């Protein structure tokens, strides 16, 4: 059976890596890796291929950045040509980025089966571009692989037949487990002169947080208070760096002695920073889950989450963009408050194996 695995943006790479690896070892499966080029900077893409020991993509579509419509359309036009030529039995997409939705639409219209990994997550906030991508991809997928129980309920409520839905755990956690030892060898902490537990880690890139000057300034105000007590390491997404410049916030950020801005980090260096951090301040989806797995306090600067398990049983707390709430939660962590937390069901490093087994059964 021939399967095309699709990657496009940074959060896709660590999800495809374990699936691609399991498939490569299976004599019944021929894989073909397509990279849409949604993310293209060396630090947003190639570095991850190297760190995650992934094979070079068989095809790179080179679509680059553009408005949502243009980017999605470009991916669709280019991906259609690949499917015409390769005629796979299945297209496998992960996550909720534009590449995920674009490739699943093209495949379905060519009567090629689609598997969606990380299906069923819902923030119920349709102003998030990812929520639209999730709804579209799930509505038309043939196999839906779910990471947490809320996903099963959401898909049931949307009328997706149970026979298509499989609760398998989380491939991103497979990568976290697989690469823990390798990440431990990273020398990033020596380079930054930091030690376990003496810094917080920030990531921030959602349009709702960084594309609005009032919101972005408020969040930086919160960091300004926090950095007085705890060093903050902030690997910055290109979108956020651009907005800091556009909004004239550069001087303010430079004046914060204890806030260290870094270029986007590769997978292994970032994992090392994460494993050893005292707390995480983020608006990322994946980090809410990685911190839950590692039992590190996570203060999420969003009003909602499509990953409710991280709040219910994990270490995540939603604070929106309310500075007082951010500072309150920060203080609690500094005062040693610990939340009882558990690792969610099936987040055990074997999700990719489960997925490939099910795919083989469904395709044969
Ligand atoms: C995308 C995903 C988001 C994911 C995020 C992780 C969608 C709708 N959004 O958002 O779900 O959480 O990736 O990073 O798919 N840029 C570069 N170099 C790159 C890529 C982007 O400089 O390699 C800059 C460009 O200015 C671009 C901007 O970042 O316009 C945004 O990139 P884009 O892929 O459109 O969205 P992200 O914010 O990265």
């Amino acid at each position: 059976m021939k399967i095309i695995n699709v990657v496009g943006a940074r959060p896709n790479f660590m999800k495809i890596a374990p699936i691609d690896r399991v498939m490569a070892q299976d004599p019944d499966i021929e894989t073909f890796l397509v990279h849409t080029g949604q993310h293209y900077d060396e630090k947003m893409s190639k570095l991850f291929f190297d760190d995650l020991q992934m094979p070079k993509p068989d095809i790179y579509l080179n679509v680059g950045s553009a408005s949502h419509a243009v980017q999605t359309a470009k991916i669709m036009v280019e991906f259609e040509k690949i499917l015409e030529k390769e005629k796979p039995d299945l297209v496998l997409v992960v996550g909720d980025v534009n590449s995920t939705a674009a490739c699943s639409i093209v495949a379905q219209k060519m009567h090629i089966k689609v598997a969606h990994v990380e299906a069923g997550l819902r923030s119920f906030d349709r102003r998030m571009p990812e929520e639209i991508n999730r709804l579209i991809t799930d509505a038309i997928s043939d196999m839906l692989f779910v990471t947490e129980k809320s996903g099963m309920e959401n898909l049931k409520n949307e009328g997706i037949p149970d026979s298509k839905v499989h609760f398998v755990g989380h491939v991103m956690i497979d990568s976290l487990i697989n690469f823990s030892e390798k990440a431990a060898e990273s020398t990033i902490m020596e380079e930054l002169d930091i030690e376990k537990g003496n810094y917080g880690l920030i990531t921030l890139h959602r349009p709702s947080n960084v594309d609005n000057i009032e919101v972005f300034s408020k969040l930086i105000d919160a960091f300004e208070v926090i950095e007085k007590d705890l060093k903050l390491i902030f690997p910055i997404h290109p979108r956020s760096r651009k907005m800091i410049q556009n909004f004239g916030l550069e001087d303010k950020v430079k004046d914060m002695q204890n806030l260290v801005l870094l270029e986007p980090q590769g997978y292994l260096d970032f994992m090392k920073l994460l494993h050893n951090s005292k707390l995480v301040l983020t608006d990322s989806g994946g980090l809410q889950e990685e911190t839950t797995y590692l039992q590190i306090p996570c203060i999420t600067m969003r009003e909602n989450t499509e990953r409710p398990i991280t709040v219910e049983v994990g270490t995540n707390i939603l604070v929106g963009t309310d500075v007082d709430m951010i500072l309150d939660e920060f203080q609690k962590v500094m005062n040693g408050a610990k939340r009882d937390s558990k690792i969610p069901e099936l987040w055990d490093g074997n999700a990719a194996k489960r997925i490939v087994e099910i795919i083989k059964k469904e395709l044969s």
Side-chain angles (χ1 to χ4, degrees):
M1 44 192 85
K2 182 166 183 178
I3 301 179
I4 291 193
N5 291 326
V6 176
V7 290
R10 186 167 62 176
N12 295 158
F13 305 130
M14 65 294 275
K15 293 171 192 164
I16 284 288
I19 298 173
D20 207 58
R21 189 162 305 120
V22 174
M23 286 182 177
Q25 288 160 0
D26 195 313
D28 298 334
I29 299 180
E30 183 194 343
T31 56
F32 192 90
L33 184 61
V34 172
H35 188 331
T36 65
Q38 178 176 344
H39 283 176
Y40 43 85
D41 281 351
E42 171 138 359
K43 292 196 166 79
M44 301 292 283
S45 176
K46 171 144 189 322
L47 201 45
F48 283 76
F49 273 76
D50 296 346
D51 278 1
L52 292 158
Q53 298 166 346
M54 288 171 74
K56 263 182 69 174
D58 295 290
I59 294 275
Y60 184 71
L61 302 181
N62 201 18
V63 299
S65 299
S67 70
H68 283 271
V70 171
Q71 186 175 62
T72 307
K74 271 188 170 171
I75 298 168
M76 290 176 75
V77 170
E78 294 307 315
F79 193 58
E80 189 177 51
K81 295 178 199 161
I82 308 300
L83 294 190
E84 263 160 10
K85 182 151 176 274
E86 299 298 332
K87 300 194 175 19
D89 300 295
L90 179 79
V91 167
L92 183 144
V93 295
V94 294
D96 54 16
V97 301
N98 288 344
S99 304
T100 311
C103 293
S104 57
I105 294 171
V106 175
Q108 264 311 347
K109 290 207 169 173
M110 295 175 79
H111 307 154
I112 295 166
K113 288 204 163 85
V114 174
H116 183 208
V117 173
E118 209 183 60
L121 298 179
R122 296 290 179 267
S123 65
F124 302 100
D125 174 3
R126 292 197 179 185
R127 293 171 54 90
M128 270 182 97
E130 293 82 0
E131 184 75 353
I132 308 298
N133 292 337
R134 292 189 277 259
L135 283 161
I136 290 170
T137 309
D138 285 344
I140 61 174
S141 287
D142 300 280
M143 297 172 221
L144 296 95
F145 295 107
V146 177
T147 52
E148 64 165 84
K149 285 286 163 66
S150 73
M152 305 295 283
E153 280 164 39
N154 295 333
L155 294 173
K156 200 182 236 339
N157 293 340
E158 288 169 22
I160 311 278
D162 288 350
S163 56
K164 291 185 175 180
V165 179
H166 310 276
F167 177 52
V168 291
H170 205 331
V171 285
M172 186 186 66
I173 302 299
D174 290 7
S175 276
L176 191 156
I177 294 170
N178 291 343
F179 287 95
S180 277
E181 272 176 36
K182 265 210 141 318
E185 292 165 15
S186 151
T187 54
I188 183 85
M189 299 198 31
E190 288 81 359
E191 287 159 35
L192 295 173
D193 195 20
I194 49 178
E195 281 167 24
K196 186 174 174 62
N198 75 357
Y199 64 94
L201 188 58
I202 302 179
T203 79
L204 193 68
H205 75 284
R206 298 247 157 248
S208 57
N209 280 338
V210 304
D211 288 1
N212 175 314
I213 185 165
E214 264 171 48
V215 176
F216 203 177
S217 308
K218 256 189 358 183
L219 295 174
I220 290 177
D221 287 344
F223 303 156
E224 198 176 15
V225 178
I226 293 174
E227 61 116 36
K228 305 248 172 351
D229 291 332
L230 184 70
K231 187 167 201 143
L232 292 174
I233 308 291
F234 186 2
I236 189 158
H237 188 283
R239 173 194 282 280
S240 314
R241 185 176 289 276
K242 200 164 74 184
M243 296 321 283
I244 286 185
Q245 283 159 2
N246 289 356
F247 295 151
L249 293 166
E250 275 166 313
D251 287 345
K252 184 170 172 121
V253 169
K254 265 195 211 127
D255 284 347
M256 290 158 63
Q257 303 289 319
N258 235 355
L259 176 88
V260 183
L261 281 193
L262 301 180
E263 288 294 303
Q265 296 295 300
Y267 186 71
L268 296 174
D269 287 341
F270 189 80
M271 280 298 125
K272 174 94 179 211
L273 289 171
L274 175 60
H275 272 262
N276 291 289
S277 62
K278 181 157 185 81
L279 60 91
V280 170
L281 287 148
T282 193
D283 62 4
S284 144
L287 259 178
Q288 296 173 53
E289 300 175 322
E290 287 162 333
T291 47
T292 276
Y293 182 82
L294 295 171
Q295 311 205 314
I296 292 167
C298 182
I299 302 173
T300 296
M301 297 168 284
R302 285 179 49 188
E303 304 291 343
N304 50 51
T305 180
E306 60 287 337
R307 293 154 162 94
I309 193 112
T310 60
V311 177
E312 286 155 18
V313 312
T315 52
N316 188 23
I317 178 124
L318 301 179
V319 293
T321 53
D322 184 320
V323 174
D324 290 337
M325 269 183 86
I326 297 173
L327 297 179
D328 243 29
E329 288 306 321
F330 167 70
Q331 270 316 327
K332 281 188 201 159
V333 177
M334 293 305 275
N335 294 340
K338 268 214 157 236
R339 298 179 64 204
D340 265 349
S341 63
K342 281 203 302 262
I343 293 174
E345 203 180 335
L346 295 188
W347 290 16
D348 58 1
N350 294 314
K353 281 190 205 131
R354 290 187 195 103
I355 289 170
V356 174
E357 242 169 62
I358 295 168
I359 287 176
K360 284 182 73 175
K361 226 192 281 159
E362 295 283 323
L363 289 185
S364 56

